[in-house]
């Protein structure tokens, strides 16, 4: 299970995160798709109650 060093795993995850952020930053279409997905699955999801939330998203 621990055949690779923790440092190597963290470096690989950091590189993957950096590449993902660069890809999203340079692709407005991908950014729009991810934003829409976040809205659909986030706090704007319809739960059946009609509470008024006092927070606003910009």
């Amino acid at each position: 299970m621990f055949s690779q060093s923790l440092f190597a795993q963290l470096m690989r995850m950091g590189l993957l995160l950096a590449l993902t952020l660069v890809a999203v930053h340079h692709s407005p279409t991908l950014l729009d798709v991810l934003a829409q997905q976040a809205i659909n699955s986030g706090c704007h999801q319809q739960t059946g109650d009609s509470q008024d939330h006092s927070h606003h998203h910009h």
Side-chain angles (χ1 to χ4, degrees):
M1 181 174 171
F2 295 103
S3 62
Q4 297 177 345
S5 70
L6 179 61
F7 179 73
Q9 291 180 10
L10 290 175
M11 289 300 292
R12 205 166 37 248
M13 291 292 237
L15 181 61
L16 182 61
L17 176 61
L19 289 174
T20 302
L21 290 175
V22 168
V24 170
H25 179 72
H26 290 290
S27 176
T29 304
L30 182 59
L31 184 59
D32 289 341
V33 168
L34 291 174
Q36 188 62 42
Q37 182 65 31
I39 290 171
N40 289 339
S41 64
C43 65
H44 292 270
Q45 185 177 15
Q46 296 297 321
T47 58
D49 60 353
S50 59
Q51 293 178 343
D52 184 22
H53 297 288
S54 62
H55 64 276
H56 299 280
H57 299 280
H58 298 282

